[in-house]
Amino acid sequence: MSDAWLRELVWWDYRLAVALTILAPLVLLMLSFIQPYRSVRHALIAYWRVSSLLAITVYLMAAHNPLGYFTGWAAHLMIVACLIYFAAVLPVQAEGLFTRAFRLWRTGAVAYNLMGLVFVAQFLGCVGRETGSCTILLGPPLQFTALVHPGATPAHFNTAGQIGLVLYLLYFVYWVLVRRRQIKPN
């Protein structure tokens, strides 16, 4: 695969990620506060907790931190696991525009993240190497951070990413050990 084609594929991946992992679930979350399906709201809140690993990945990648390759792959895996775990949150009789939109988004997000697992797995060998096609994944995070945080240095992004990762892992451990047992089925 040529570097130009790979670069274009990476940029399309980021565009699709913004649509499927940020915009669509944000709109669904806002709509869930006016819909009668509390379980959908809980599923979307759980999704946002899990998908925050993508934001951490952007900052780690902008800092050229090799952890970014692993957190990117793990984010796709965690999102798939979360969306499959909450696959049956809607009652069978719950049919309407909102529930259809939620199911459609969930199906698309699972498919996208499964493909993301395969795509990002190809770059796990890039850890410790910043040459050739390995640097192509860094383009979108670098442009995003330059746009959102002009004047910040990679050290700032590294610190933000590492703090975010530690907080993410602490909350994940808390959820696994404590919170998950407190959740009661609907």
Side-chain angles (χ1 to χ4, degrees):
M1 176 180 325
S2 74
D3 281 355
W5 194 83
L6 182 59
R7 185 172 285 106
E8 190 64 29
L9 185 62
V10 166
W11 275 104
W12 275 107
D13 174 56
Y14 273 83
R15 290 176 188 120
L16 193 55
V18 168
L20 276 175
T21 66
I22 298 171
L23 297 178
L26 184 59
V27 168
L28 287 169
L29 181 63
M30 289 187 293
L31 290 174
S32 75
F33 285 97
I34 58 173
Q35 298 297 322
Y37 305 111
R38 204 171 145 216
S39 55
V40 172
R41 186 172 336 131
H42 290 297
L44 287 164
I45 290 170
Y47 163 80
W48 278 104
R49 288 177 181 150
V50 168
S51 70
S52 63
L53 192 54
L54 288 173
I56 293 166
T57 298
V58 168
Y59 285 95
L60 291 173
M61 295 296 280
H64 300 264
N65 187 324
L67 280 174
Y69 294 104
F70 295 113
T71 59
W73 188 84
H76 288 295
L77 180 65
M78 298 282 289
I79 290 170
V80 168
C82 174
L83 293 176
I84 289 173
Y85 180 78
F86 285 105
V89 297
L90 289 174
V92 174
Q93 71 276 12
E95 276 305 317
L97 183 58
F98 175 71
T99 55
R100 281 189 297 243
F102 174 77
R103 286 186 180 121
L104 180 64
W105 166 75
R106 186 186 64 219
T107 302
V110 167
Y112 165 75
N113 282 286
L114 285 172
M115 289 185 290
L117 276 170
V118 174
F119 183 67
V120 174
Q122 299 173 39
F123 291 93
L124 291 177
C126 288
V127 174
R129 293 186 339 204
E130 287 195 27
T131 59
S133 61
C134 291
T135 60
I136 291 173
L137 275 186
L138 303 177
L142 288 171
Q143 281 199 347
F144 168 79
T145 52
L147 178 69
V148 176
H149 307 290
T153 66
H156 292 116
F157 304 135
N158 195 41
T159 301
Q162 288 179 355
I163 289 171
L165 184 58
V166 167
L167 293 174
Y168 185 90
L169 291 173
L170 288 173
Y171 183 79
F172 182 75
V173 168
Y174 164 76
W175 189 84
V176 167
L177 297 178
V178 178
R179 184 76 178 114
R180 182 178 57 91
R181 295 178 187 171
Q182 296 171 350
I183 297 174
K184 295 181 178 35
N186 290 337

